[in-house]
Amino acid sequence: MEDERIIDLYWARDQRAIAETSDKYGHMCTRIAENMLFDRQDAEECVNDTYLGVWNAVPPARPGIFSAFIARITRNLAMKRLTWLNAKKRGTNLTVSLSELEECIPDSLAENDTVEKQALTECIERFLRTLSPRGRSIFLCRYFLFDSPEEISKKLRISTSAVKSSLSRNRNKLRIFLENEGLMH
């Protein structure tokens, strides 16, 4: 079913919207959650929470890119779950990909400073538009979907070393981009 029709079902408060969302995007949501949580049961709970999150958000939201909207909800819920698991010392390892970005993202952001976070978000979005389509795909697969370099290389049919090289180059470019924007010191 087309995304617009699924969104219309949400607006009509028709519960078929959830089934259609699951059919079309369930695999993507599961992959995102599993890549972050490393636990099938936690990932399934996160995906179920995603459907509730979409149900509660649409309406009033009318997402332009439904897949990105759903992916963001899944990612945010998985991050919350990961934080909870780590706070309770229930053991999952933080993804290596987040530590890779530590050198690029300013750690001076205040915990509740939404203005700074919004500026950083907009800056990263501008940065992503400067990348080639392949470079942007590699970057987003690694740092948004949390795919491993090996998974990205299979998906894009390129060598793992090409993926790692692209990630390294683009992390350096991001750091310089953020410095030029005044967000890194």
Side-chain angles (χ1 to χ4, degrees), residues 33-61:
E34 284 181 345
N35 284 348
M36 294 176 70
L37 299 170
F38 302 108
D39 182 88
R40 181 84 173 152
Q41 186 176 0
D42 285 337
E44 287 174 7
E45 288 179 29
C46 183
V47 172
N48 288 332
D49 290 346
T50 296
Y51 301 139
L52 177 62
V54 174
W55 182 264
N56 290 334
V58 180

Side-chain angles (χ1 to χ4, degrees), residues 23-176:
D23 289 346
K24 189 165 184 179
Y25 295 111
H27 179 72
M28 175 192 73
C29 293
T30 300
R31 191 186 56 174
I32 291 169
E34 284 181 345
N35 284 348
M36 294 176 70
L37 299 170
F38 302 108
D39 182 88
R40 181 84 173 152
Q41 186 176 0
D42 285 337
E44 287 174 7
E45 288 179 29
C46 183
V47 172
N48 288 332
D49 290 346
T50 296
Y51 301 139
L52 177 62
V54 174
W55 182 264
N56 290 334
V58 180
R62 190 157 194 98
I65 303 172
F66 195 50
S67 60
F69 182 79
I70 294 168
R72 186 183 49 167
I73 290 173
T74 304
R75 185 178 185 278
N76 289 343
L77 288 169
M79 281 296 244
K80 285 180 184 176
R81 179 78 175 169
L82 190 60
T83 300
W84 180 82
L85 288 168
N86 286 324
K88 297 289 184 185
K89 297 187 183 354
R90 298 180 186 266
T92 70
N93 297 321
L94 283 173
T95 351
V96 173
S97 60
L98 289 176
S99 65
E100 290 173 4
L101 283 178
E102 285 178 351
E103 66 189 48
C104 305
I105 306 298
D107 55 355
S108 62
L109 280 179
E111 185 70 27
N112 296 317
D113 193 342
T114 56
V115 174
E116 279 189 50
K117 287 178 184 176
Q118 183 64 32
L120 178 62
T121 299
E122 290 170 2
C123 191
I124 291 173
E125 288 172 354
R126 284 194 310 277
F127 167 74
L128 289 171
R129 287 191 289 271
T130 70
L131 299 178
S132 68
R134 184 171 102 172
R136 186 172 36 252
S137 291
I138 292 169
F139 196 89
L140 289 172
C141 283
R142 181 67 176 144
Y143 302 119
F144 187 78
L145 300 177
F146 295 99
D147 289 339
S148 70
E150 294 76 19
E151 290 170 321
I152 298 168
S153 71
K154 287 177 189 171
K155 187 185 302 185
L156 299 179
R157 297 186 176 126
I158 58 176
S159 70
T160 302
S161 63
V163 170
K164 290 178 179 178
S165 176
S166 174
L167 290 168
S168 178
R169 265 192 324 274
N170 288 329
R171 280 193 310 271
N172 288 332
K173 287 180 184 177
L174 175 60
R175 186 180 40 73
I176 292 167

